[in-house]
């Protein structure tokens, strides 16, 4: 069932009071709060974003504090739960405030038929039809959100986690903090369970593995997502979808379980499992001593970690510190001494993973920092191609697979700026949604038939040159990933470059009113934004005060020069020369010329010279503008010729 959100009206949500938002160029929808009447009009506009997977893309533009984030987070939390009723008078005011905040009207286009959701306390009207408030029956039998997944993306650290699930995704927020729960589930199912349900059959193993992974960070999970994304787009020839830094290799190392437990023992002051760990480390004496002397490199630590896990759970021991001997003994012990079939399968897979990784790194040089080996800050790593590492990681997308290595691996060397990190976050997390339900081991994260993507401040941290490609890249990736889904995209942005990719009919503008509430302007009421030049977008679409898009410091500095030139009767030559140098710094031609004219009044140069100079400046600027137009005409002529010749690539 194809479902597109074309309008939402909010009752009283923060700074958004009695305001409506249109999201489709093909409809104009409005709601009269006084008469409770809804108006819906079809427009004869084209939707330039509609294709096989994408229903539409629209943008919300506005200065800080006008409610862009509030709107997107509200849309992410849309649901058919009826407004609350309460009999207890002491909760009456609180319930009324909550209902006031949560009330909305939504209009959907469902298979070309209008569907209206009335989550208010009153009946609304559309022509001769009336729509009563949502009831429990509607929630249980006619819930449109059973067909749509809401996904909210942001690179901001200040966002609200609104993750809600049934069998599939209902609502999910994707940002750094909200990713913690996803990362936790990934490690829990990838390291411990796979497709097996947790049981009490092997409690010591569950508890121990849970202890080892409980401090795995979102950053470590994000690095795995990064590798999987970079590998997939390379394999599928989709590199043009990614705007960030091209990364061909990364640095890989493996943490030591011995160091981890030693640190835990020191920090825990004897609490928890500290005493048991200390005893186990003491009885693991031969290998512990060799490890303390840095006998093993970062790859060999995998084998040491395996040996200690077997020692902790099954009292495996080895009085020889040769790494090959230890590995062979581990293999023998797993095959001959472990009786539990689940445990045996887990550790046989560990042997397989270590062998596979050793083959992967067979001819790879191990690097280290310049710190002495006996210093705690000493580190080792090996540099591995993303293509090889990504192929190894793809095993983890199989929900039947568990991984020994996943809890120990550390990835570094990405070396990204904040802008590059923002681009990779967006791209890798969108990609993640296509296979996360397999990574995490259940179908919880499987998107529904319809997907509403909500991108908050999509241009955050992103360089203008990359902003030019954001919409193009986003739509390419969505088309590549979400076959069989109907995708609607709503973004918020501060960027006129991003807005130049979006027609005004697909845009909503938010402005602060005098009373602090937000005023909504329909994009179709503004000048056209699609393929518009950046200065006009700043002036017309971002409501820059004064109509000129320069910084306030520069504007104040220029105003002071103008005031000084206007008020003074004469100027010494040194001051005139200084003003000339300052005026030459001004990039805006009209401002520069006006100040030059004012300065000429104080010059001893003859009027004839002033006029000639002015004519020369005008002629110079005219010639430059003519050159620009000629170049544009040549490009347009070439494009027309290409299309006339049938070349559409």
């Amino acid at each position: 069932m194809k479902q597109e959100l074309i309008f939402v009206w909010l009752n009283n949500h923060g700074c958004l009071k009695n305001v409506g938002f249109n999201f489709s160029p093909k409809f104009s929808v409005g709601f009269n709060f006084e008469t409770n009447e809804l108006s819906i009009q079809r427009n004869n506009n084209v939707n330039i974003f509609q294709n096989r997977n994408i229903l539409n893309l629209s943008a919300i533009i506005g200065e800080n504090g006008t409610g862009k984030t509030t709107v997107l987070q509200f849309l992410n939390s849309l649901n058919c739960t009826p407004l609350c009723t309460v009999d207890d008078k002491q909760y009456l005011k609180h319930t009324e405030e909550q209902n006031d905040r949560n009330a909305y009207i939504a209009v959907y286009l469902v298979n070309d038929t209008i569907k209206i959701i009335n989550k208010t306390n009153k009946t609304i009207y559309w022509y001769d039809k009336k729509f009563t408030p949502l009831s429990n029956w509607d929630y249980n039998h006619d819930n449109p959100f059973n067909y749509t997944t809401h996904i909210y993306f942001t690179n901001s650290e200040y966002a609200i986690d609104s993750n809600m699930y049934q069998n599939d995704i209902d609502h999910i927020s994707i940002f750094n903090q909200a990713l913690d729960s996803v990362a936790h589930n990934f490690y829990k199912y990838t390291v411990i369970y796979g497709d097996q349900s947790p049981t009490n059959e092997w409690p010591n193993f569950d508890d121990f593995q849970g202890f080892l992974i409980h401090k795995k960070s979102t950053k470590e999970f994000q690095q795995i997502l990064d590798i999987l994304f970079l590998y997939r787009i390379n394999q599928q020839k989709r590199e043009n979808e990614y705007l960030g830094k091209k990364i061909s290799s990364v640095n890989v190392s493996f943490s030591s379980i011995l160091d981890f437990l030693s640190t835990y023992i020191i920090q825990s002051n004897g609490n928890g499992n500290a005493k048991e760990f200390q005893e186990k480390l003491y009885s693991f004496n031969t290998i512990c001593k060799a490890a303390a002397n840095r006998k093993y490199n970062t790859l060999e630590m995998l084998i040491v970690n395996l040996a200690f896990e077997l020692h902790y759970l099954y009292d495996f021991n080895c009085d020889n510190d040769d790494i090959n001997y230890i590995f062979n003994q581990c293999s023998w012990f797993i095959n001959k001494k472990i009786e539990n079939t689940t445990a045996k399968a887990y550790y046989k897979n560990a042997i397989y993973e270590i062998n596979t990784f050793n083959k992967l790194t067979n001819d790879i040089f191990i690097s280290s920092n310049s710190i002495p080996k006996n210093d705690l800050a000493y580190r080792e790593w090996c540099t591995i191609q993303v293509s090889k590492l990504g192929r190894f990681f793809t095993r983890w997308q199989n929900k039947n697979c568990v991984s020994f290595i996943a809890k120990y691996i550390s990835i570094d060397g990405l070396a990204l700026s904040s802008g590059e990190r923002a681009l990779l976050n967006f791209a890798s997390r969108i990609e993640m949604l296509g296979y996360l339900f397999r990574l995490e081991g259940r179908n919880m994260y499987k998107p529904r038939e319809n997907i509403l993507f909500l991108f908050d401040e999509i241009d955050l941290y992103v360089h203008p040159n990359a902003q030019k490609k954001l919409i193009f890249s986003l739509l390419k990736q969505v088309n590549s990933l979400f076959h069989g889904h109907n995708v609607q995209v709503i973004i918020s942005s501060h960027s006129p470059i991003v807005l130049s990719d979006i027609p005004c009919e697909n845009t909503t503008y938010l402005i602060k009113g005098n009373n602090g509430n937000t005023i909504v302007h329909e994009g179709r009421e503004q000048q056209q934004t699609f393929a518009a030049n950046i200065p006009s977008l700043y002036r017309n679409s971002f409501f820059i005060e004064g109509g000129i898009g320069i910084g306030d410091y520069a504007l104040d500095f220029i105003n002071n020069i103008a005031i000084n030139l206007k008020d003074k009767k004469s100027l010494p030559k040194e001051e005139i020369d200084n003003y000339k140098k300052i005026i030459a710094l001004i990039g805006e031609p009209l401002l520069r010329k006006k100040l030059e004219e004012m300065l000429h009044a104080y010059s001893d140069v003859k009027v004839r010279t002033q006029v000639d100079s002015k004519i020369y400046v005008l002629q110079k600027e005219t010639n430059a503008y003519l050159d620009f137009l000629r170049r544009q005409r040549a490009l347009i002529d070439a494009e027309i010729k290409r299309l006339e010749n049938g070349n559409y690539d």
Side-chain angles (χ1 to χ4, degrees):
M1 183 169 69
K2 186 181 295 186
Q3 184 167 285
E4 177 185 358
L5 178 66
I6 62 173
F7 174 80
V8 68
W9 174 86
L10 306 185
N11 180 52
N12 184 7
H13 198 79
C15 60
L16 304 170
K17 302 182 187 301
N18 187 20
V19 291
F21 297 85
N22 276 284
F23 298 114
S24 172
K26 293 189 174 183
F27 291 88
S28 293
V29 186
F31 177 67
N32 189 318
F33 182 73
E34 303 297 329
T35 63
N36 299 327
E37 291 180 316
L38 195 66
S39 62
I40 304 175
Q41 176 185 338
R42 286 184 181 263
N43 299 323
N44 193 29
N45 294 325
V46 64
N47 181 356
I48 66 170
F49 298 110
Q50 190 170 8
N51 60 34
R52 67 182 187 277
N53 297 321
I54 297 174
L55 299 175
N56 192 19
L57 183 146
S58 51
I60 300 174
I61 306 298
E63 61 183 308
N64 292 331
T66 53
K68 300 186 301 300
T69 297
T70 302
V71 176
L72 295 185
Q73 290 182 344
F74 190 92
L75 294 178
N76 188 43
S77 63
L78 282 179
N79 62 78
C80 271
T81 308
L83 295 179
C84 297
T85 57
V86 63
D87 296 325
D88 193 334
K89 290 185 178 179
Q90 62 181 333
Y91 290 102
L92 184 60
K93 184 177 180 181
H94 172 74
T95 301
E96 288 176 348
E97 289 175 350
Q98 290 299 107
N99 285 344
D100 214 30
R101 178 177 176 81
N102 294 326
Y104 73 86
I105 297 168
V107 180
Y108 284 86
L109 187 66
V110 181
N111 293 338
D112 207 38
T113 300
I114 295 294
K115 182 176 182 62
I116 297 169
I117 299 173
N118 175 17
K119 188 173 176 176
T120 69
N121 279 322
K122 51 191 179 182
T123 300
I124 64 174
Y125 302 89
W126 177 42
Y127 292 114
D128 57 345
K129 298 179 181 179
K130 66 178 183 180
F131 299 86
T132 55
L134 277 172
S135 65
N136 287 320
W137 187 95
D138 296 317
Y139 176 74
N140 292 317
H141 296 90
D142 191 27
N143 188 343
F145 301 108
N146 289 337
Y147 306 98
T148 298
T149 289
H150 299 72
I151 305 174
Y152 173 78
F153 280 85
T154 181
N155 272 310
S156 171
E157 296 294 333
Y158 305 98
I160 298 172
D161 189 344
S162 58
N163 295 343
M164 297 170 61
Y165 319 100
Q166 290 181 14
N167 294 323
D168 302 320
I169 302 175
D170 284 344
H171 313 275
I172 186 169
S173 301
I174 303 293
F175 59 98
N176 289 344
Q177 293 176 352
L179 213 62
D180 284 346
S181 61
V182 180
H184 173 75
N185 284 333
F186 163 75
Y187 283 112
K188 184 168 65 175
Y189 281 85
T190 301
V191 169
I192 306 177
Y193 299 129
D195 66 346
Q196 303 292 323
S197 298
T199 68
N200 293 322
E201 179 186 357
W202 198 14
N204 288 344
F205 173 82
D206 290 354
D207 292 343
F208 184 54
Q209 300 298 334
F211 172 79
L212 293 178
I213 66 173
H214 85 285
K215 286 192 176 181
K216 297 299 287 185
S217 67
T218 302
K219 178 183 176 183
E220 291 172 296
F221 175 59
Q222 179 65 59
Q223 290 167 336
I224 292 172
L225 295 182
D226 294 342
I227 298 301
L228 281 169
F229 167 70
L230 294 169
Y231 171 73
R232 283 166 64 93
I233 62 171
N234 177 264
Q235 292 298 110
Q236 299 171 12
K237 310 299 182 185
R238 292 165 44 211
E239 290 94 337
N240 62 336
E241 294 175 15
Y242 175 50
L243 304 177
K245 182 179 181 180
K246 306 304 179 187
I247 302 167
S248 59
S249 61
V250 290
N251 298 332
V252 172
S253 60
F254 292 98
S255 58
S256 165
I257 192 173
L258 308 181
D259 291 345
F260 176 72
L261 293 179
S262 297
T263 303
Y264 171 79
I265 291 166
I266 294 170
Q267 294 177 345
S268 64
N269 295 319
N271 296 322
N273 299 323
K275 185 176 180 181
E276 183 181 6
F277 289 150
Q278 194 164 15
E279 290 174 354
K280 287 291 185 181
L281 288 173
Y282 180 78
S283 59
F284 202 53
N285 187 38
T286 301
I287 299 175
C288 278
K289 282 184 177 179
N293 292 325
R294 305 283 188 181
K295 177 172 182 177
Y296 309 115
N297 63 41
T298 187
L299 295 178
E300 292 169 342
M301 281 311 304
L302 272 177
I303 298 173
V304 174
N305 292 345
L306 172 62
F308 183 82
E309 286 197 27
L310 295 174
H311 175 71
Y312 179 83
L313 293 168
Y314 299 104
D315 291 326
F316 165 79
N317 218 328
C318 188
D319 57 4
N320 189 319
D321 62 10
D322 178 76
I323 197 67
N324 292 319
Y325 180 81
I326 295 169
F327 189 52
N328 290 332
Q329 287 297 104
C330 287
S331 299
W332 176 86
F333 188 88
I334 292 165
N335 284 302
K336 300 296 184 181
K337 295 296 184 179
I338 298 180
E339 296 179 356
N340 181 287
T341 55
T342 306
K344 184 185 288 288
Y346 180 86
Y347 281 114
K348 286 182 75 172
N349 181 69
I351 295 291
Y352 171 81
E353 278 196 308
I354 292 172
N355 277 325
T356 302
F357 209 88
N358 282 337
K359 291 177 183 177
L360 186 72
T361 58
N362 188 42
D363 56 350
I364 290 178
F365 179 73
I366 294 178
S367 305
S368 64
N369 57 17
S370 56
I371 296 173
K373 269 193 172 187
N374 60 355
D375 193 294
L376 292 176
Y378 175 77
R379 293 291 181 271
E380 289 184 343
W381 65 88
C382 55
T383 302
I384 302 178
Q385 290 178 333
V386 168
S387 58
K388 292 183 178 180
L389 190 60
R391 185 165 61 251
F392 180 81
F393 282 178
T394 54
R395 294 185 69 245
W396 301 348
Q397 296 180 45
N398 181 351
K399 67 179 181 180
N400 297 313
C401 177
V402 290
S403 174
F404 171 81
I405 281 182
K407 61 180 176 280
Y408 294 118
I409 194 167
S410 178
I411 303 166
D412 201 0
L414 291 169
L416 300 173
S417 68
S418 57
E420 290 168 335
R421 170 45 62 194
L423 289 168
L424 189 51
N425 280 355
F426 267 134
S428 65
R429 291 171 186 181
I430 293 171
E431 192 90 10
M432 169 189 76
L433 291 169
Y435 55 77
L436 182 59
F437 67 98
R438 297 196 303 276
L439 274 179
E440 191 265 3
R442 295 174 290 177
N443 283 334
M444 177 182 287
Y445 295 102
K446 189 174 182 179
R448 299 185 188 276
E449 179 182 357
N450 300 284
I451 303 174
L452 177 59
F453 274 122
L454 305 159
F455 291 92
D456 193 12
E457 297 195 32
I458 193 170
D459 53 281
L460 190 64
Y461 306 121
V462 179
H463 187 274
N465 197 44
Q467 290 178 22
K468 290 172 57 181
K469 305 172 185 176
L470 273 176
I471 299 300
F472 178 82
S473 174
L474 171 64
L475 297 181
K476 289 276 288 184
Q477 188 178 16
V478 168
N479 271 322
S480 297
L481 289 177
F482 296 100
H483 298 292
H485 295 273
N486 306 307
V487 180
Q488 181 178 1
V489 179
I490 302 175
I491 70 167
S492 71
S493 178
H494 289 118
S495 169
I497 300 174
V498 171
L499 189 57
S500 70
D501 270 338
I502 304 171
C504 63
E505 291 84 0
N506 293 61
T507 309
T508 300
Y509 299 91
L510 307 185
I511 304 173
K512 285 182 181 178
N514 294 330
N515 59 356
N517 293 333
T518 293
I519 301 170
V520 176
H521 284 267
E522 293 294 332
R524 51 182 63 99
E525 299 169 1
Q526 310 297 324
Q527 292 189 20
Q528 186 54 263
T529 53
F530 185 67
N533 66 71
I534 303 306
S536 68
L537 284 173
Y538 265 123
R539 184 171 58 252
N540 300 322
S541 300
F542 287 84
F543 307 103
I544 300 297
E545 293 181 7
I548 184 167
I550 66 173
D552 278 0
Y553 178 81
L555 190 59
D556 182 67
F557 197 88
I558 290 168
N559 282 336
N560 287 333
I561 293 175
I563 291 170
N564 288 338
L565 292 178
K566 182 179 178 182
D567 292 344
K568 291 187 177 182
K569 294 182 179 180
S570 63
L571 288 173
K573 184 177 183 305
E574 294 80 7
E575 197 166 344
I576 291 174
D577 290 341
N578 189 51
Y579 275 126
K580 284 181 179 179
K581 294 177 183 177
I582 293 173
I583 292 170
L585 297 175
I586 299 173
E588 168 54 50
L590 293 177
L591 289 175
R592 187 174 65 247
K593 284 195 294 183
K594 181 62 180 175
L595 291 176
E596 285 173 346
E597 289 173 2
M598 295 177 72
L599 186 62
H600 279 316
Y602 297 96
S603 176
D604 294 328
V605 182
K606 294 180 181 180
V607 175
R608 175 69 181 173
T609 305
Q610 295 176 22
V611 173
D612 288 347
S613 175
K614 185 174 181 180
I615 291 172
Y616 173 74
V617 171
L618 287 173
Q619 186 63 48
K620 184 178 179 182
E621 292 182 355
T622 300
N623 289 339
Y625 187 55
L626 281 171
D627 288 341
F628 168 76
L629 291 176
R630 291 186 185 109
R631 288 195 301 272
Q632 295 299 307
R633 184 174 64 184
L635 290 172
I636 292 170
D637 287 343
E639 183 69 5
I640 291 172
K641 186 175 181 181
R642 181 181 68 82
L643 294 173
E644 286 177 343
N645 290 335
N647 182 3
Y648 303 113
D649 294 331

